[in-house]
Amino acid sequence: MYVSARTDYAVRAMLAVTAEHPRLVKAAGLAAVQDIPLSFLQGILLDLRRAGLLHSHRGVDGGYALARPAEEITVGDVVRAVGGALTTVRGLPTSTATYHGAATALHDVWIAVEAAIEGVVDHKTLAELSSISVKRN
């Protein structure tokens, strides 16, 4: 699995918002604390809001907050919100990959890879990651 900067930034941003819950987090402050370029972060926050993971509040006292409890948001939710499918084969959904002859069994390998990745990211919540971070600090 390739983790792009966009995906990494999105998960980091969501964890930072989780850590501040229920306080609102401003994009500029989030960018500074997480060392994410603000212009890049603003696009990510928009995607996260459109996916129903964040609420945005306008105004001087505005900012971003989780749209659902941290216990209900998985890393997989965040990854899909900003990057689409978790795995692809040649840019297409893994399930559509077809092979012939000696490579026929390769389809099963890619499906297993996808299932393994889903098994990790779809079962690790922001709340769990936040509690681990608190224990390490």
Side-chain angles (χ1 to χ4, degrees):
M1 175 179 178
Y2 171 75
V3 179
S4 67
R6 182 176 183 78
T7 298
D8 182 58
Y9 291 163
V11 176
R12 288 167 43 198
M14 289 295 289
L15 288 170
V17 172
T18 299
E20 295 299 320
H21 183 74
R23 291 183 299 272
L24 296 176
V25 178
K26 295 189 180 300
L30 185 57
V33 169
Q34 288 297 315
D35 196 25
I36 301 170
L38 179 58
S39 60
F40 198 33
L41 178 61
Q42 288 172 328
I44 292 168
L45 294 172
L46 180 61
D47 286 344
L48 294 168
R49 188 177 60 76
R50 285 180 179 158
L53 301 178
L54 289 178
H55 282 299
S56 63
H57 302 273
R58 295 182 185 261
V60 174
D61 294 325
Y64 292 88
L66 296 178
R68 301 191 319 243
E71 295 82 7
E72 296 177 13
I73 301 173
T74 68
V75 173
D77 294 331
V78 178
V79 171
R80 287 181 188 94
V82 298
L86 294 176
T87 61
T88 61
V89 177
R90 299 180 311 275
L92 299 172
T94 305
S95 62
T96 64
T98 57
Y99 299 94
H100 306 285
T104 301
L106 191 53
H107 178 265
D108 295 339
V109 172
W110 299 145
I111 295 296
V113 167
E114 181 175 56
I117 292 169
E118 287 174 347
V120 173
V121 300
D122 287 342
H123 294 95
K124 192 59 69 176
T125 68
L126 297 180
E128 289 174 293
L129 291 176
S130 292
S131 70
I132 292 168
S133 294
V134 169
K135 289 177 187 174
R136 288 186 179 167
N137 289 334

